Amino acid sequence: MTIPDTADIIIIGGGVMGASSAYHLASKGCHNVLLLEKEDFFGLGATGRCAGGVRYQFGTEVNVRLSLLSLPMLERFKDEIEQEIDYRKMGYLFLLTNPVDVNTFRKNVNMQNRLGVNTQWLNGDDIRKWLPMMRLEDVLAGSFNPRDGLVDPNSVVMGYIGAAQRLGVKALTSVPVTGIQVHSGKIIGVETREKVISSPVVVDATGPWSGQTSQMAGINVPVTPIRRQWVTTSAIPQLPPDFPFVIDFAQSLYFHPEGPGLLTGMSNPHEIPGFDQNIDQEWELFHLEAAIKRLPLLERVGLASHLAGLYEVTPDAHPIFGKTPVAGYYLVTGFSGHGFMHGPIAGKLMAEIVLEGSATTMDISMLDLARFNEGRLIQEYNVV
Ligand SMILES: Cc1cc2nc3c(=O)[nH]c(=O)nc-3n(C[C@H](O)[C@H](O)[C@H](O)COP(=O)(O)OP(=O)(O)OC[C@H]3O[C@@H](n4cnc5c(N)ncnc54)[C@H](O)[C@@H]3O)c2cc1C
């Protein structure tokens, strides 16, 4: 497909945020939308490397509310977008091993229940009885929501891209944006290797790269790329069919069923920010030792694959939505490692902001870029 000379709206980035924004803009009647992705395929950034987890269990109301809108959109995905996305509800089980986490999660579960999310509180013995194959002597309590689960990230991206294209969106791969043109404080277009494309509106959906991208427009966006990685195992026939998505919260160590085996990951709290997406072998060894301690049967299974990707981390672990000091330049970024699940609603809210001036489906005004300069940070506790 040839690169057009102009577009009403240019979206930079073909991960879940760009794909969902493109679809929602087009479904609101804005068809002259151009999506540009630097890689040769869509969804090769954070989205294609993510663990696919979707959950209601968060520590702030705004994140729970985003889940309350976004997860039902994933449930309706096949009917609306005509794409199967393999939504598996096995529930997330947070394991809590220290009194501070127990107190905080207790409050968070009350808040979730108040908002209509049916998260359950379990004591240590309930959990030990449920998962006798795990070593859980130190577990004090846990929280479980049976509606949390897993969804296939690539299907969601390709579903949105296909649906957007059917509505007239031009979505191009192998077109890195190399510059952003601003005149008198307003967006006038973007530069690519081949040509300049004029447009009054740019949506920056470049996730871990959005700090770099927005610099091209002269805007400081506090998104830090931080590597995270996981491994998958060969088949584990001993796993019970009701094995949930287990998160050992204090260690940031998680396990979830993946095919006939498990996927397990662990966040390195000392990871140095950067764009390296190679596996850190030393950390992988440390992670596997911790995983075997929790689930000893892992000692006897093989590794099937491993992958590293980048979290897009903001100072308060909440996303950044909306307008910037440059007129026509919008952000949908900074989901801090849990953005895949919020991709559906994020694209819808972005379409409202761009076309109607503000988000109408829910109030996300507190998630603006200006909060970092104005000291309005909102901390999320449930970061994995
Ligand atoms: C290991 C790992 C596990 C995760 N697990 C989960 C999970 O279980 N659940 C969950 O909800 N989230 C999870 N996440 C987080 C989730 O993946 C991200 O929050 C989400 O995918 C961000 O989507 P995005 O569209 O903003 O970014 P991306 O998917 O990275 O998309 C940005 C795109 O922009 C493109 N781009 C960048 N610069 C340019 C340019 N100059 N020109 C053109 N294109 C450009 C990139 O190539 C990329 O495709 C995980 C992330 C990682 C790394």
Side-chain angles (χ1 to χ4, degrees):
M1 199 186 273
T2 51
I3 302 178
D5 296 322
T6 66
D8 290 345
I9 298 174
I10 295 176
I11 299 171
I12 315 176
V16 70
M17 297 304 159
S20 173
S21 300
Y23 166 72
H24 284 100
L25 283 163
S27 66
K28 278 187 165 291
C30 183
H31 303 290
N32 187 13
V33 175
L34 175 64
L35 185 152
L36 301 174
E37 166 55 51
K38 69 177 165 66
E39 300 293 337
D40 293 343
F41 295 95
F42 299 108
L44 290 185
T47 307
R49 293 159 187 265
C50 96
V54 302
R55 61 173 154 120
Y56 289 92
Q57 297 188 64
F58 278 99
T60 62
E61 284 203 18
V62 69
N63 271 334
V64 175
R65 289 184 197 283
L66 286 168
S67 289
L68 276 166
L69 290 162
S70 208
L71 272 55
M73 291 168 81
L74 291 167
E75 299 210 32
R76 296 192 300 270
F77 205 86
K78 185 151 187 287
D79 292 337
E80 187 183 342
I81 311 294
E82 296 171 32
Q83 168 77 47
E84 183 55 71
I85 57 168
D86 197 19
Y87 196 157
R88 288 151 283 160
K89 290 187 194 114
M90 76 279 291
Y92 267 57
L93 170 64
F94 281 93
L95 306 176
L96 307 172
T97 53
N98 69 61
V100 175
D101 289 343
V102 169
N103 280 340
T104 308
F105 268 71
R106 196 77 189 93
K107 282 188 209 131
N108 291 347
V109 168
N110 287 341
M111 177 269 288
Q112 291 159 25
N113 293 164
R114 179 168 51 77
L115 295 180
V117 171
N118 186 24
T119 304
Q120 299 153 22
W121 189 252
L122 304 176
N123 66 38
D125 287 338
D126 296 333
I127 299 168
R128 281 181 280 278
K129 223 177 282 163
W130 179 7
L131 299 171
M133 76 298 294
M134 295 192 80
R135 285 235 177 96
L136 304 172
E137 301 81 358
D138 57 338
V139 171
L140 302 174
S143 64
F144 176 69
N145 188 309
R147 295 183 69 80
D148 296 340
L150 291 170
V151 169
D152 177 45
N154 288 316
S155 303
V156 172
V157 171
M158 291 320 296
Y160 276 138
I161 294 278
Q165 286 172 325
R166 290 194 291 279
L167 291 169
V169 170
K170 290 186 192 67
L172 306 180
T173 53
S174 316
V175 185
V177 168
T178 52
I180 294 171
Q181 297 195 332
V182 179
H183 186 70
S184 303
K186 287 186 192 148
I187 285 293
I188 56 166
V190 307
E191 295 162 17
T192 68
R193 284 187 300 233
E194 209 168 301
K195 59 161 68 158
V196 171
I197 311 163
S198 64
S199 178
V201 176
V202 167
V203 175
D204 178 351
T206 57
W209 293 269
S210 52
Q212 274 186 345
T213 313
S214 47
Q215 279 298 331
M216 294 193 256
I219 304 163
N220 284 327
V221 172
V223 170
T224 307
I226 299 198
R227 176 171 54 182
R228 292 288 180 246
Q229 59 190 42
W230 46 255
V231 305
T232 62
T233 72
S234 57
I236 312 180
Q238 303 94 312
L239 282 184
D242 66 342
F243 193 87
F245 192 136
V246 179
I247 301 182
D248 172 347
F249 185 70
Q251 293 198 83
S252 228
L253 166 67
Y254 61 89
F255 309 83
H256 72 65
E258 184 75 10
L262 276 180
L263 182 151
T264 168
M266 186 173 181
S267 303
N268 179 352
H270 308 297
E271 184 69 49
I272 295 162
F275 291 98
D276 185 0
Q277 296 191 80
N278 294 305
I279 293 285
D280 175 346
Q281 310 254 356
E282 218 175 292
W283 181 255
E284 185 172 276
L285 213 60
F286 184 84
H287 158 215
L288 289 174
E289 276 171 15
I292 289 167
K293 267 192 205 146
R294 273 279 176 236
L295 186 60
L297 55 80
L298 283 180
E299 205 161 15
R300 298 185 301 279
V301 304
L303 295 187
S305 66
H306 57 188
L307 198 64
L310 302 171
Y311 272 17
E312 71 295 39
V313 178
T314 63
D316 64 1
H318 279 81
I320 309 172
F321 273 103
K323 292 178 187 162
T324 65
V326 172
Y329 195 83
Y330 295 86
L331 296 164
V332 55
T333 185
F335 287 76
S336 302
H338 46 256
F340 164 62
M341 67 188 89
H342 290 160
I345 187 62
K348 184 167 191 233
L349 295 167
M350 267 323 281
E352 293 169 358
I353 291 171
V354 173
L355 299 178
E356 291 153 25
S358 64
T360 48
T361 300
M362 74 174 264
D363 179 16
I364 48 163
S365 54
M366 73 297 279
L367 300 179
D368 58 345
L369 176 65
R371 75 181 185 273
F372 300 105
N373 284 335
E374 293 170 9
R376 290 185 279 109
L377 273 60
I378 332 148
Q379 276 310 328
E380 172 57 60
Y381 197 74
N382 287 20
V383 179
V384 181

